[in-house]
Amino acid sequence: MRIALYQPDIAGNVGTILRTAACFGVGVDIIEPCGFAFSDRALKRAGMDYAQMAPPIRHDDWHAFLQARQERLVLLTTSGDISLPEMDFQKEDILLFGSESAGAPDFVHQAAARQVRIPLLSQFRSLNIAVSAGIALAEALRQTKGFVHEVR
């Protein structure tokens, strides 16, 4: 199981996701460009020293990411056709998240084997990406009995 972030915008969210991934032994892929300097203080503050235990793998762009990763892509998106509780996760899935400001472009949607949404009350649009990543990761690990392994 891995988390991939497509062109993330907010350093604090990435730091929080890195911390979460480190705590659960999950690797993280960052698909550049990011909307912030990767040395950003907010990234370090949110990730604390946990992020150093599971450094992300950075990819120059979408094509470099696809060349490096062959696992099934599961895109978490507000327009997903599969509700999170109905999704059947596999141990090698990559949980993919679009940028905070723009989401994921059409070509990322098309590359994903599954498009999953976290069900919310109808009056709400979306959750913070770090919260979404934590919710989706917890469900995926629960289903695959993936708690806790060495980071790959």
Side-chain angles (χ1 to χ4, degrees), residues 92-110:
E92 298 303 316
D93 283 343
I94 296 177
L95 307 180
L96 176 61
F97 297 84
S99 72
E100 294 92 328
S101 63
D106 287 341
F107 63 86
V108 171
H109 279 259
Q110 292 167 5

Side-chain angles (χ1 to χ4, degrees), residues 2-105:
R2 298 185 67 79
I3 293 173
L5 304 175
Y6 178 83
Q7 299 183 353
D9 294 331
I10 301 173
N13 285 337
V14 174
T16 300
I17 291 168
L18 291 174
R19 181 178 180 176
T20 300
C23 288
F24 290 104
V26 173
V28 176
D29 293 282
I30 306 287
I31 304 160
E32 307 242 11
C34 295
F36 57 90
F38 212 80
S39 61
D40 190 294
R41 285 178 19 163
L43 175 71
K44 292 177 182 172
R45 186 173 53 250
M48 298 177 61
D49 56 345
Y50 291 76
Q52 296 172 9
M53 294 181 211
I57 296 173
R58 294 167 62 186
H59 304 274
D60 289 337
D61 56 29
W62 176 247
H63 297 292
F65 169 73
L66 289 179
Q67 288 179 345
R69 296 282 172 215
Q70 303 303 313
E71 299 90 334
R72 182 172 78 161
L73 297 177
V74 176
L75 178 64
L76 277 290
T77 173
T78 57
S79 62
D81 58 344
I82 303 169
S83 178
L84 181 66
E86 297 168 358
M87 176 60 191
D88 185 23
F89 288 98
Q90 299 172 5
K91 287 184 179 189
E92 298 303 316
D93 283 343
I94 296 177
L95 307 180
L96 176 61
F97 297 84
S99 72
E100 294 92 328
S101 63

